Amino acid sequence: MRQKIVAGNWKMNKTFQEGKALTSELVGMINDEVRGNVKVILCVPFPYLDTVRSLVGQSSRISVGAQNCSEHASGAYTGEVAASMLKSIEIPSVIIGHSERRQYFAEAGVLLAKKVDIALANGLTPIYCCGEPLEVRERNEHETLVRKQVEESLFHLSAEAIQQVVIAYEPVWAIGTGKTATAQQAQDMHAVIRQHLAGKYGKTVAETITILYGGSVNAGNANELFACPDVDGGLVGGASLKSREFTDIIKAMKA
Ligand code: PEP
């Protein structure tokens, strides 16, 4: 059975004090209310990682992730954060290739493959994001583009390594816009991704890989999205900043 995951991406939001308060509220609500085998990852800004990890404590359900890492191991890269640094403060996962990194920081294919590699080399789980802009979907080229994004940054991995990766399908037109993909659109693309993985690595391997949906997930649409057979959870932006709503989204993931 694939691991079910609901990850929250705080992006560049919350002061340190607000982040600590949100974490404490979330830990209480999740511990009290969430049952089953769903895992929760809080992807918080770099300066908060160590503190949020301490606040989460020894939870077997909740862990903390970063939102990016450098493709370089270490050295003269002012302002960058290395995967080994994340490892050294016991952060187990990192988002790679979020559409905002692709859009505003020109991150793409080969660079993202290097980030995936260095994350894996440091024992981190990469949460690799893919997804098409609106104009690509309107040209009906979304499946081709997403297959290419998966190929160019992941298909160099061994069958063993790809199983350490979590994929997040996030249509760019649905991120932060309040416009969600329909459950059918999400399921269709997740099935396309899984078939593509099966074509390269075989069905057994493809069936083990967790594929999250992201794009304006909220407490109202999570049930329907998470009920899709190939949707193994969500990567949640805006709604992960509200403890009540994020907890309700996690509870919608039946695992
Ligand atoms: C995201 O940040 O990955 C995301 C999906 O954001 P939102 O849920 O706000 O659309």
Side-chain angles (χ1 to χ4, degrees), residues 31-253:
N31 287 342
D32 286 352
E33 300 176 34
V34 178
R35 298 288 170 262
N37 189 26
V38 57
K39 301 274 190 212
V40 178
I41 307 175
L42 305 179
C43 299
V44 308
F46 287 130
Y48 308 167
L49 283 167
D50 196 38
T51 302
V52 171
R53 191 186 52 75
S54 299
L55 286 172
V56 164
Q58 293 304 312
S59 169
S60 57
R61 187 185 302 284
I62 314 170
S63 66
V64 181
Q67 298 172 15
N68 182 30
C69 70
S70 172
E71 71 276 25
H72 300 292
S74 65
Y77 300 101
T78 302
E80 290 291 274
V81 172
S84 61
M85 296 174 179
L86 300 175
K87 181 186 179 189
S88 71
I89 56 165
E90 294 168 39
I91 297 302
S93 49
V94 56
I95 297 174
I96 289 178
H98 191 280
S99 69
E100 289 148 17
R101 303 281 330 162
R102 292 177 187 262
Q103 189 178 347
Y104 305 130
F105 302 93
E107 296 192 359
V110 175
L111 172 82
L112 296 175
K114 288 185 188 162
K115 292 191 177 204
V116 167
D117 286 347
I118 205 151
L120 287 171
N122 283 281
L124 301 172
T125 299
I127 303 172
Y128 175 74
C129 301
C130 54
E132 78 287 356
L134 184 59
E135 62 276 14
V136 173
R137 181 164 278 266
E138 283 172 348
R139 288 200 305 270
N140 200 28
E141 290 169 3
H142 46 294
E143 294 184 0
T144 309
L145 177 73
V146 169
R147 277 196 209 97
K148 181 166 170 279
Q149 290 173 331
V150 169
E151 261 167 48
E152 60 192 9
S153 302
L154 299 181
F155 270 19
H156 63 289
L157 297 174
S158 67
E160 197 188 347
I162 189 93
Q163 292 179 80
Q164 310 308 313
V165 175
V166 169
I167 296 176
Y169 168 59
E170 300 205 302
V172 179
W173 46 271
I175 298 179
T177 57
K179 206 172 166 186
T180 321
T182 63
Q184 192 60 55
Q185 286 172 321
Q187 168 56 30
D188 288 349
M189 187 60 93
H190 283 227
V192 163
I193 295 169
R194 204 176 302 287
Q195 274 158 19
H196 203 40
L197 292 166
K200 168 80 178 166
Y201 296 100
K203 196 167 186 301
T204 312
V205 168
E207 285 298 323
T208 66
I209 297 173
T210 296
I211 308 179
L212 310 179
Y213 169 78
S216 298
V217 175
N218 59 43
N221 58 30
N223 269 306
E224 204 190 346
L225 287 162
F226 294 170
C228 298
D230 284 292
V231 176
D232 304 313
L235 178 54
V236 184
S240 74
L241 299 170
K242 300 172 210 150
S243 52
R244 178 69 271 152
E245 180 153 29
F246 190 51
T247 305
D248 286 343
I249 292 171
I250 299 163
K251 286 161 76 180
M253 184 73 256

